Amino acid sequence: MTNRPTPDIIYTTVDEAPQLAAASLLPIIQAFAAAAGVSVGTRDISLAGRIIAAFPEGLSPEQRQPDDLADLGALVTKPSANVIKLPNVSASVPQLVAAVKELQSQGYALPDYPEDPQSEAEKEARRRYDALKGSAVNPVLREGNSDRRAAIAVKNYAMAHPHSMGTWAADSKTHVSTMAADDFFANETSATLTAAQAGPVRIELLGEDGAVTVLKDGVKFPEGAVVDATFMSARALRAFLDQQIASTQAQGVLFSLHLKATMMKVSDPILFGHAVRAYLAPVFDSYGAVFDAAGISANAGLGAMLERIAELPQASEILAAIDATLASRPPLYMVNSDKGITNLHVPSDVIIDASMPALIRAGGKGWGPDGRAADTNCVIPDSSYAVVYDEAIRYFKETGALDPATAGTVQNVGLMAQKAEEYGSHPTTFEVPHAGTVRMVLANGEVLHSHKVEAGDIWRSASARKAPIEDWVHLAIARQKAENCQAIFWLDAARAHDAELIAYVKPLLAAAGVADKFQILAPREATRLSLETIRRGETSIAVTGNVLRDYLTDLFPILELGTSAKMLSIVKLMQGGGMFETGAGGSAPKHVQQLVQENHLRWDSLGEFCALGESLKFQAELSGNAKALILGKAVDAATQAILDNDHSPKAKVGQTDNRTSHFYFAWAWAAAMAAQTEDAGLAAHFAPIAAALAQNEAKILAELTANEGKPVDLGGYYHADPAKTAAVMRPSQTFVGIIG
């Protein structure tokens, strides 16, 4: 950690719409918290901030900034940690490259991202940049397991004001397609390490000629860790993709690929590239050598390919071949049909945990190139969790859409601490360079896992440690006791990894005397039962691993609430601290585009409000500061007022936006503080603030909306100018003058 003073609460600096919203909301939070003796500061975990911190040597002293992610990584292992974490960009390569170019244009002397590093300097730059890709932040900060659920006020509002749902037809052609063999699920092996097996592990590739290539050395696992290894056959993947392209064509539906090319930053971009090459097979057959010579990679997506192809001498010829191939293939699911952005354009544009729930909410419809909604073949190569979406689609075809006005809720307790499971696999994921056998060799010489592989196969290892697993089970027990409702461990006894977890879960439940309070079901059966439960208006707790935590805390909130950005997400850090996450950021890029074009930000800060209330209450527990508790309870009252009075942001210019929502939040928060009777000093402090906000409502609203409908300049996308951003997000001097 650096020597900077650590504030009581850290509010993370991030990217895109959440960070724009923070420019408006954070000054309000800091002013109100100061009155209760609570300091609120920031640490920068944005993509741009992490890039700057990773390459200090070429920067001026004014440009340099500390490695705030490392700082926070140390803090979350301390009992005093109190962090409000906003959603940050999990960067794909195109996003990383775009951020680097923007910073370079702003005068930052950063190296280019080397696609094919040759020199030692390029290899070192690539190593540093690769550390910033994908889920670089969450594994560092998540030193605890996840307790994620809909806040009561948010759930009540969703039921009273149900969002729109698409109509499901029994004869819908929408379906999930996944691999039947030779994928990560089928090839997985798993073991729980004994004391004799604990320690360093070497991952090596034994070639068919007997030569050994060390892929990774010195990976250490403690006793009790569940260590997995698996691979996906590139040959089987390509055959599957070819089959699905043909099948989609025959069925007359859209072709849609659903991956996690951000969080699974090594494996899934490779899978994405296979899909691009399969879909454009005739083009790659003719021009593959040209692409290789030009350093054009399918892994970056069709959008990046088109930009690079436009620079080639044969550009017109190749582009014509691409157009002809697209015309002959089944129509693609579109990210933006108006702009011609397809499912295969950018790997970070279609993220499974956002795209699949949106499609299911819409009655199984996706947008096609003609701008019309259509049924789709949802292609999810690995079968590990595809069954969840498959069963949900089957269920809704049978029963019709869920009614948000009467639906119950699915809460989640997720195993994610200390880089648990697949999301911690990045340093131990490899595209196999040549045929042979990949082995995990223990320090005692024992071969823990062994897989025979071919060139191009994707091999990976993941793990979950004993302490996080036990903490996860205990958290599930506590949550079930608090809710007294159905609770399900989503674990498949037929899957190698899950079988090892079940061996932990059953004795812990039995020792706590609560085995009868929980069910253990495979994901398909758990999906069906959970949907049946919430259709009856009841509550279920899904106790899951890390990836399912991610998937389900989008799927069920999007069905229940219309969004996953309004969830209450508490990470109970294992050393006693707390981290309060504010929701998903999947729609953030579109919100930024609208702000720049129309000066209207529709980002809803409800997730931030929920996290803030919990953080302040937690601070009261940490410090014994009764004023912080009063302030936190007043946040809850203000959040309820925002919902009751319909002051959440709307989609169009002229309607409530993020800034006007923050004004009403500040007013309601101040009013709640003025009305409370627990602390006369706080009431006296906030009474004139509440009165001034009430008296100046019309003036403040006029100032906030004076320039709506006009373009604005933020000075950057990934690295916006703070002064320009503040001018856009705090345009009411009257409001600023009252709040401070």
Side-chain angles (χ1 to χ4, degrees):
M1 294 177 67
T2 66
N3 293 323
R4 289 173 294 170
T6 302
D8 296 322
I9 297 174
I10 289 177
Y11 199 90
T12 56
T13 298
V14 289
D15 317 89
E16 298 180 325
Q19 184 54 32
L20 294 173
S24 168
L25 180 59
L26 182 57
I28 300 170
I29 294 172
Q30 290 172 322
F32 279 53
V38 176
S39 59
V40 181
T42 61
R43 293 291 185 270
D44 189 350
I45 60 171
S46 69
L47 177 58
R50 288 182 283 123
I51 292 171
I52 293 169
F55 293 93
E57 61 270 22
L59 306 182
S60 68
E62 294 76 22
Q63 291 176 323
R64 292 175 189 161
Q65 62 183 63
D67 187 346
D68 281 359
L69 179 58
D71 190 355
L72 279 182
L75 177 64
V76 294
T77 64
K78 300 180 181 299
S80 59
N82 188 344
V83 179
I84 298 176
K85 182 191 172 294
L86 280 67
N88 61 280
V89 165
S90 293
S92 63
V93 171
Q95 288 174 303
L96 180 60
V97 170
V100 171
K101 288 182 178 178
E102 180 177 297
L103 287 165
Q104 290 171 335
S105 73
Q106 295 173 346
Y108 287 81
L110 298 166
D112 290 335
Y113 176 82
E115 294 282 357
D116 184 23
Q118 298 297 321
S119 68
E120 289 304 314
E122 288 178 336
K123 290 177 182 177
E124 172 61 14
R126 177 63 179 265
R127 183 193 66 78
R128 294 194 210 177
Y129 278 132
D130 282 351
L132 306 176
K133 293 191 304 189
S135 60
V137 169
N138 289 336
V140 174
L141 299 187
R142 285 174 169 167
E143 279 291 315
N145 291 310
S146 172
D147 170 10
R148 188 172 288 190
R149 57 192 187 272
I152 294 174
V154 174
K155 180 61 177 173
N156 289 341
Y157 180 83
M159 295 177 74
H161 304 85
H163 54 272
S164 62
M165 296 284 279
T167 301
W168 273 97
D171 61 351
S172 169
K173 294 182 180 179
T174 292
H175 61 286
V176 169
S177 298
T178 190
M179 295 175 69
D182 247 348
D183 62 351
F184 291 128
F185 178 83
N187 292 323
E188 185 176 76
T189 54
S190 183
T192 300
L193 299 188
T194 65
Q197 294 172 317
V201 174
R202 182 177 71 256
I203 303 172
E204 63 184 26
L205 173 60
L206 175 63
E208 294 179 337
D209 59 357
V212 174
T213 302
V214 176
L215 301 175
K216 189 81 173 181
D217 203 359
V219 183
K220 294 182 179 180
F221 297 110
E223 178 186 358
V226 175
V227 180
D228 312 327
T230 187
F231 75 98
M232 177 176 283
S233 162
R235 183 199 301 268
L237 172 63
R238 179 55 187 265
F240 165 75
L241 291 169
D242 289 342
Q243 178 188 32
Q244 292 311 312
I245 292 168
S247 174
T248 306
Q249 186 90 305
Q251 293 174 72
V253 297
L254 303 177
F255 179 91
S256 62
L257 179 71
H258 303 269
L259 295 167
K260 189 74 170 179
T262 49
M263 296 290 277
M264 298 305 298
K265 63 182 181 181
V266 179
S267 61
D268 283 25
I270 298 172
L271 301 183
F272 187 87
H274 275 284
V276 172
R277 286 189 292 272
Y279 198 86
L280 296 177
V283 177
F284 277 87
D285 289 344
S286 298
Y287 301 101
V290 175
F291 295 159
D292 290 341
I296 296 174
S297 171
N299 293 9
L302 180 57
M305 285 182 58
L306 291 173
E307 290 181 7
R308 297 288 301 278
I309 289 169
E311 302 169 356
L312 299 177
Q314 314 99 307
S316 59
E317 176 185 331
I318 298 173
L319 292 173
I322 290 174
D323 288 341
T325 300
L326 290 174
S328 69
R329 294 299 209 187
L332 285 169
Y333 173 101
M334 303 297 287
V335 172
N336 189 322
S337 55
D338 292 337
K339 296 183 178 180
I341 300 175
T342 73
N343 184 196
L344 299 180
H345 260 65
V346 184
S348 57
D349 267 356
V350 181
I351 303 302
I352 184 170
D353 49 312
S355 59
M356 283 302 302
L359 185 144
I360 292 170
R361 177 190 166 185
K365 301 292 185 181
W367 294 104
D370 59 0
R372 297 180 180 179
D375 292 342
T376 180
N377 180 9
C378 305
V379 178
I380 305 173
D382 181 47
S383 62
S384 297
Y385 307 110
V387 294
V388 171
Y389 301 115
D390 180 61
E391 189 62 25
I393 288 172
R394 291 171 185 260
Y395 176 78
F396 289 123
K397 285 182 183 180
E398 296 171 15
T399 64
L402 196 69
D403 182 358
T406 59
T409 187
V410 176
Q411 303 179 1
N412 184 268
V413 173
L415 171 61
M416 67 179 192
Q418 298 181 359
K419 306 178 183 179
E421 301 186 308
E422 294 96 329
Y423 285 166
S425 68
H426 317 312
T428 50
T429 300
F430 309 96
E431 190 170 23
V432 177
H434 56 76
T437 302
V438 178
R439 307 188 301 190
M440 292 190 76
V441 184
L442 302 176
N444 63 10
E446 178 185 348
V447 176
L448 184 68
H449 298 299
S450 177
H451 295 97
K452 189 172 182 180
V453 294
E454 298 178 334
D457 289 351
I458 307 163
W459 186 96
R460 75 181 185 209
S461 176
S463 66
R465 299 176 180 234
K466 180 179 180 180
I469 295 170
E470 293 179 337
D471 179 80
W472 170 62
V473 177
H474 292 312
L475 178 58
I477 292 170
R479 288 299 306 142
Q480 194 283 328
K481 182 178 180 181
E483 297 290 343
N484 191 29
C485 67
Q486 177 186 93
I488 305 169
F489 279 88
W490 291 49
L491 297 171
D492 184 353
R495 179 181 176 184
H497 168 77
D498 287 8
E500 299 296 318
L501 288 188
I502 291 171
Y504 268 111
V505 169
K506 285 185 174 181
L508 289 169
L509 294 180
V514 295
D516 61 329
K517 302 291 186 182
F518 291 85
Q519 299 181 63
I520 299 176
L521 297 175
R524 182 181 294 280
E525 288 71 28
T527 301
R528 170 74 59 155
L529 179 56
S530 299
L531 289 170
E532 291 172 343
T533 299
I534 62 173
R535 189 176 285 278
R536 294 193 302 267
E538 299 171 5
T539 298
S540 182
I541 300 174
V543 190
T544 72
N546 205 352
V547 173
L548 272 180
R549 170 202 59 81
D550 206 3
Y551 289 9
L552 299 190
T553 55
D554 276 304
L555 175 61
F556 288 111
I558 286 173
L559 296 178
E560 298 171 23
L561 312 176
T563 177
S564 59
K566 301 177 183 180
M567 294 289 283
L568 179 61
S569 183
I570 300 171
V571 181
K572 296 190 175 182
L573 299 171
M574 292 174 61
Q575 299 305 316
M579 185 165 71
F580 306 90
E581 299 185 327
T582 67
S587 58
K590 293 182 180 178
H591 293 345
V592 179
Q593 292 167 10
Q594 185 179 18
L595 178 73
V596 170
Q597 294 168 2
E598 302 179 336
N599 196 14
H600 182 90
L601 183 64
R602 63 182 295 187
W603 177 263
D604 192 338
S605 292
L606 199 60
E608 288 96 292
F609 301 160
C610 292
L612 173 63
E614 294 298 318
S615 175
L616 285 166
K617 286 180 252 182
F618 181 67
Q619 185 59 33
E621 291 180 22
L622 283 178
S623 63
N625 182 348
K627 295 179 187 293
L629 178 60
I630 295 168
L631 202 62
K633 291 191 291 186
V635 168
D636 293 343
T639 303
Q640 188 69 61
I642 289 292
L643 294 168
D644 291 345
N645 294 292
D646 196 23
H647 288 318
S648 295
K650 305 294 190 301
K652 297 180 180 179
V653 170
Q655 298 176 320
T656 302
D657 90 331
N658 182 262
R659 292 159 292 192
T660 49
S661 180
H662 290 168
F663 161 68
Y664 283 115
F665 174 75
W667 181 4
W669 193 8
M673 289 299 295
Q676 57 81 28
T677 58
E678 298 173 71
D679 189 305
L682 283 177
H685 175 84
F686 282 99
I689 296 174
L693 293 174
Q695 292 164 5
N696 289 279
E697 177 185 9
K699 183 179 181 182
I700 291 171
L701 291 178
E703 292 173 352
L704 288 173
T705 59
N707 292 313
E708 273 220 346
K710 303 174 184 177
V712 298
D713 176 19
L714 299 173
Y717 182 89
Y718 293 99
H719 192 242
D721 180 88
K724 290 181 178 180
T725 302
V728 171
M729 295 307 300
R730 304 191 78 195
S732 170
Q733 292 307 304
T734 304
F735 187 26
V736 171
I738 295 170
I739 297 298

